[in-house]
Amino acid sequence: MRTKTPEKRKTAIIIGAGPAGLTAGIELLRQTDIIPILLEEKDCVGGLSRTVFYHGNRMDIGGHRFFSKDPDIMKWWTTLLPLQGSPAQDDLLTPCMKTFVPGGPDPEKEDRTILLRRRISRIFYLKKFFDYPVTFNAKTILNLGLGRTVRAAIGYLRATLSKRPELSLQDFYINRFGRPLYKMFFEHYTEKVWGVHPSVLGADWGAQRVNGLSIKALLKNMLVRKKRTPGDIRQKDTEKSLIENFLYPKFGPGQLWETATQEIERDEKGTILLMHRLVGIHYEDGLIRSITAATPDGHVDIPCDYVLSSMPVKDLVSTFTGITVPPEVFSVATSLPYRDFITVGILVDRLKIKHNGQPPTFGNRIPDTWIYIQERDVRIGRLQVFNNWSPYLVEDYRHCIWLGLEYFCNENDELWNKTDRDFISMAIGELVHIGILEDETHVKDSTIVREKKAYPAYHGSYRRLKEVTDWLDRIPNLYCIGRNGQHRYNNMDHSMLTAMEAVAHIRDGKTDKQDIWNINTEQEYHERKKH
């Protein structure tokens, strides 16, 4: 009797080992018999969601709150890293009202755990703290002054009575907040982040990132927030910008993606190739048949049946051989704009600014995870306080405060090209100037991290992006996923959902890829929730 030769298993090349790529790898193993092979050009996984280790301290590049209205995503995270069952270090040092999971890991004794964190973010404007999003209370009115408050109220009423056509992000914000509040809290900060005026940016950026955020949503949230139990992560009907609690890995976001890597590579089920940069996608007879990657030792060719790409669209179109990219598609794709990002890590022994309100904090330190710096005379955009993300990001939590100063720039501009020494000196000087830090003598250590193509931008050739995506979709076994893979400023959970949807298409043999692109663009996908 002749033994039947088993069919050769199919392989999928996944370009990029960030949240989208790693999610795709795990879901392929869970839902199909396809072998995932991930290519990552860096020497670590996680992409923008990686954790950077420096002199015993850990940096979260960009700040990543783990919260989603999709319960499958929440379950995905807590399956890899179970939710804490006992107080963390900072919980033990201050009054704690969190609800812990019975039988969950003790973060003081176990590393593989995800923490329940309280979300506190504020705006620093006029050298005063404002709630983010701005709430209408006595403190806000006192900080703004009567004149600004009256102008804001009148502006909001006008915007309510007369809506503008939403042709730009400026229109989007004015319709929801009125012109005075837009001028105070959105115009300059948006320009600082993106390098262009909000009138140039597409309104769909707002639809993706803050679609449910408005004065009406703020008032509704103020009415219902008292009903929630402190530490309750179930905030299904809350707009994402208004959540009060979120999950966070003990050692930062990179810990979760490193755990995902172990899941993929366990028992040699999948492969992750670091320091492998995609340089060629080879098309033949209507399909992608193989890819070429550059490595420290040369080049390697890998055959494949599918390609899932989370690399920037701008770079992807330059890699094809065996198929001609139409000149107009190539022109639009290669001119897509991005915003680059620099984080300065500064370790200090104390801050000049103190916290004397609620919630109580260790040493009266400010409680914020990050602070939006709205002051117009400094270039810093946001200030992260890593102690408040997780006490385990800081080697000496009791005696040091570990800060991340975030700057937005374009590759090879004046900011990007500053020497590390000059940039760090500028950053410290700005903290002193706005009164966060007393003087440079309190700085104990510092470092700097530059990140290219951190934010896909919504201007220029972006308005013709559909010409590119329509062409890419004609390649049957190519799937674009994630933030850069779709040139969309997705949240982490949305990037994961694009990967899950792509795997579902492969599993079910679907040919129409529109559902993958629709995630975080159509209402049913926007921060979707399941009942």
Side-chain angles (χ1 to χ4, degrees), residues 207-275:
Q208 282 185 231
R209 298 296 289 189
V210 290
N211 191 48
L213 186 61
S214 64
I215 297 292
K216 183 178 179 180
L218 292 171
L219 293 173
K220 178 183 176 183
N221 187 63
M222 289 171 65
L223 292 173
V224 302
R225 65 189 302 176
K226 292 182 180 179
K227 300 178 182 179
R228 302 190 191 114
T229 302
D232 188 357
I233 198 64
R234 296 168 298 176
Q235 303 161 91
K236 293 181 179 180
D237 297 314
T238 305
E239 203 282 327
K240 196 161 188 177
S241 296
L242 303 177
I243 63 167
E244 296 176 22
N245 303 291
F246 62 95
L247 304 181
Y248 194 76
K250 177 178 176 178
F251 293 127
Q255 182 186 11
L256 184 129
W257 302 117
E258 289 157 12
T259 305
T261 298
Q262 296 166 10
E263 181 79 11
I264 291 171
E265 294 185 323
R266 182 179 296 125
D267 302 324
E268 300 182 344
K269 292 180 294 186
T271 303
I272 298 178
L273 302 172
L274 301 178
M275 303 293 286

Side-chain angles (χ1 to χ4, degrees), residues 41-42 47-50 61 277 310-312 314-315 337-343 407 409-413 416-417 449-456 483-484:
E41 67 175 345
K42 293 186 174 71
L48 192 64
S49 296
R50 70 191 186 278
I61 306 301
R277 179 173 57 87
S310 66
M311 73 184 293
K314 183 174 188 173
D315 300 329
Y338 296 81
R339 195 66 163 153
D340 305 296
F341 187 73
I342 297 173
T343 301
Y407 292 84
C409 59
N410 292 325
E411 186 180 354
N412 293 321
D413 68 7
W416 184 270
N417 288 330
V449 177
R450 291 174 170 83
E451 188 71 30
K452 298 179 182 178
K453 296 184 176 70
Y455 302 131
R483 176 182 285 193
N484 277 335

Side-chain angles (χ1 to χ4, degrees), residues 10-11 281-291 303-307 320-323 472-479 510-511 513:
K10 293 182 177 181
T11 60
I281 293 180
H282 309 302
Y283 181 90
E284 183 181 348
D285 297 331
L287 292 170
I288 296 171
R289 303 293 181 178
S290 65
I291 63 91
C304 61
D305 298 284
Y306 306 96
V307 172
F320 288 100
T321 64
I323 185 173
L472 291 170
D473 279 352
R474 294 184 193 133
I475 302 174
N477 58 340
L478 172 67
Y479 302 85
K510 294 181 180 179
T511 56
K513 303 173 187 174

